[in-house]
Amino acid sequence: MGDLLRGIVWDGSAYHVVDDLEVRPPGPGEVEVRMTAAGLCHSDLAVVRGTIPFPTPVVLGHEGAGVVSALGPGVTGLAEGEAVALTTLGNCGACEHCDAGQPTMCRSTFGRRPQPFTWRGTPTYNFANTSCFAERVVVAANQCVPVPDDVPAASAALLGCGVLTGVGAVLNRAQVRPGSTVAVIGVGGIGLNVIQGAALAGATRVVAVDTNPAKAELAYRFGATDFVDPSGRDTAGAVRDLLPADSTGVDYSFECVGHPALARAAVDMLGWHGTAVLLGVPAEAAELSVPITDLYLDKSVMGCRYGSSRPQRDVRTYLGLYRGGRLLLDELVTRTYPLDAVGQAMHDLETGDLARGVLTFTR
Ligand SMILES: NC(=O)c1ccc[n+]([C@@H]2O[C@H](COP(=O)([O-])OP(=O)(O)OC[C@H]3O[C@@H](n4cnc5c(N)ncnc54)[C@H](O)[C@@H]3O)[C@@H](O)[C@H]2O)c1
Ligand SMILES: [Zn+2]
Ligand SMILES: [Zn+2]
């Protein structure tokens, strides 16, 4: 075991901001990364709320940036001191899915529950192969994507979930076509990236939907053409009301909240040949019920893990678009918080007007 680290431990009932966390050294093919910034995604909050069942104690966080601080045996292509964005997969690189360019389908990337940390003598779980709410983490080398030093750490951090998931869902999974009409339900860190992905893909109508009217301004800044607050109304009807009288519905809808009624609304607003993409993670037992005949006119419903991303390639593409002013990263960072303020940051994520809140690490 190495030095004692600062980090946030969730024990099932409270956050502990601690100074006595330990992480094991990097093994073959792994690196240690000193974190500089970590975004808060609703999936972290979902563990706290019990929507995503997860064993404790655990170090949450899966959207971060940092600096490589130690290389495990056999690691090449990364150097100590290099700035990186972390991705959550760490795929094996050798299976048929990796070979086919589908690392999100690599079996080795899902369901692992290692305990690389120790807190006060107790083995402590890692979350989403990352756990970036700790000063140092140990990850597979291929979870690190080098990021130029001049990209602010808080912006780079958001590449690892919000951007890969949201933009990837549009470009990789749905493959939205130019001229499309797109609806995005939920204007949080994921939804905003779906919105900017849809704009990049050439969608001509991007309808953002959120029950928090404070999200309208953000939605427009990221490329929405319309915003609707469906509070007290039927969500699909609120979107349909905005479409031309001869429209059969939207070409694509993206559910970015994690609520079964909104997944149903995503289907209900589809036009002929439309596709609903379900990104939100609801409670484990939640089911989607849809009249089968409603799908008859070539409609599709698809799930999507992590934007069906190829992180090494996609992050580089997104950084190029960011450089060219075509993808917003800095604007995703609404507020930064010190580690001690994690409770406030989680509260703001649940109730506030954040694009993203980001924890920053200073020693
Ligand atoms: N599929 C994946 O790989 C993947 C990856 C990351 C996150 N997620 C999931 O995506 C979802 C969104 O995450 P996020 O970080 O963007 O969350 P977030 O909290 O930042 O945003 C959620 C947004 O939904 C809005 N909202 C809440 N209820 C609504 C309603 N009834 N109608 C319309 N809008 C409503 C909120 O006001 C908020 O703006 C979560 O379920 C998260 O677990 C999935
Ligand atoms: Zn996430
Ligand atoms: Zn694999």
Side-chain angles (χ1 to χ4, degrees):
M1 287 292 166
D3 309 335
L4 295 181
L5 309 173
R6 199 161 154 72
I8 300 165
V9 177
W10 168 252
D11 70 359
S13 54
Y15 305 104
H16 301 271
V17 181
V18 305
D19 278 310
D20 52 358
L21 192 64
E22 293 170 273
V23 68
R24 66 166 175 77
E30 294 179 332
V31 297
E32 183 196 76
V33 174
R34 180 175 58 77
M35 300 308 303
T36 48
L40 285 97
C41 171
H42 212 106
S43 299
D44 299 307
L45 185 59
V47 172
V48 171
R49 291 281 168 265
T51 315
I52 298 178
F54 208 87
T56 57
V58 57
V59 177
L60 296 172
H62 61 282
E63 188 184 69
V67 172
V68 176
S69 45
L71 302 178
V75 173
T76 56
L78 286 169
E80 276 184 41
E82 194 164 2
V84 295
L86 296 185
T87 74
T88 64
L89 296 178
N91 55 299
C92 79
C95 74
E96 61 186 300
H97 306 286
C98 285
D99 231 17
Q102 299 173 319
T104 58
M105 296 294 108
C106 173
R107 302 290 188 266
S108 75
T109 63
F110 202 72
R112 279 187 292 173
R113 299 273 186 272
Q115 293 165 301
F117 300 99
T118 306
W119 180 51
R120 298 180 190 166
T122 306
T124 297
Y125 287 96
N126 157 297
F127 181 58
N129 302 327
T130 329
S131 292
C132 49
F133 295 169
E135 215 167 25
R136 288 170 196 258
V137 301
V138 171
V139 296
N142 70 353
Q143 289 179 250
C144 297
V145 186
V147 172
D149 284 331
D150 61 340
V151 179
S155 306
L158 306 183
L159 288 160
C161 182
V163 179
L164 281 172
T165 300
V167 181
V170 174
L171 301 183
N172 299 329
R173 184 72 173 117
Q175 301 183 5
V176 168
R177 293 207 298 226
S180 301
T181 295
V182 175
V184 183
I185 308 170
V187 183
I190 304 299
L192 283 167
N193 282 295
V194 172
I195 291 170
Q196 66 173 341
L200 267 173
T204 40
R205 198 88 190 263
V206 182
V207 180
V209 182
D210 204 296
T211 43
N212 180 354
K215 296 289 179 123
E217 195 186 322
L218 269 171
Y220 288 123
R221 193 182 314 157
F222 278 75
T225 56
D226 303 77
F227 177 87
V228 61
D229 171 0
S231 300
R233 302 160 67 189
D234 143 47
T235 301
V239 171
R240 283 185 173 279
D241 284 350
L242 297 171
L243 305 179
D246 63 350
S247 168
T248 58
V250 302
D251 299 313
Y252 301 91
S253 57
F254 292 83
E255 201 278 353
C256 310
V257 182
H259 196 296
L262 297 175
R264 171 65 191 266
V267 176
D268 287 347
M269 66 180 70
L270 292 178
W272 295 14
H273 204 272
T275 300
V277 185
L278 308 184
L279 288 169
V281 181
E284 255 193 336
E287 294 188 359
L288 171 64
S289 168
V290 177
I292 293 167
T293 50
D294 278 9
L295 300 176
Y296 171 67
L297 286 153
D298 284 16
K299 297 183 191 179
S300 309
V301 181
M302 49 172 69
C304 181
R305 179 186 184 203
Y306 202 43
S308 308
S309 298
R310 283 79 35 111
Q312 293 291 340
R313 196 197 81 156
D314 293 350
V315 166
R316 281 176 173 76
T317 302
Y318 301 155
L319 284 170
L321 290 165
Y322 166 74
R323 285 259 181 260
R326 298 172 64 197
L327 188 95
L328 304 181
L329 291 182
D330 304 337
E331 293 80 352
L332 282 169
V333 182
T334 309
R335 213 161 294 144
T336 59
Y337 304 81
L339 289 202
D340 307 19
V342 61
Q344 181 66 44
M346 286 288 193
H347 175 265
D348 292 352
L349 170 63
E350 198 158 32
T351 61
D353 54 0
L354 298 180
R356 270 286 194 249
V358 181
L359 299 172
T360 51
F361 293 75
T362 42
R363 202 45 169 163

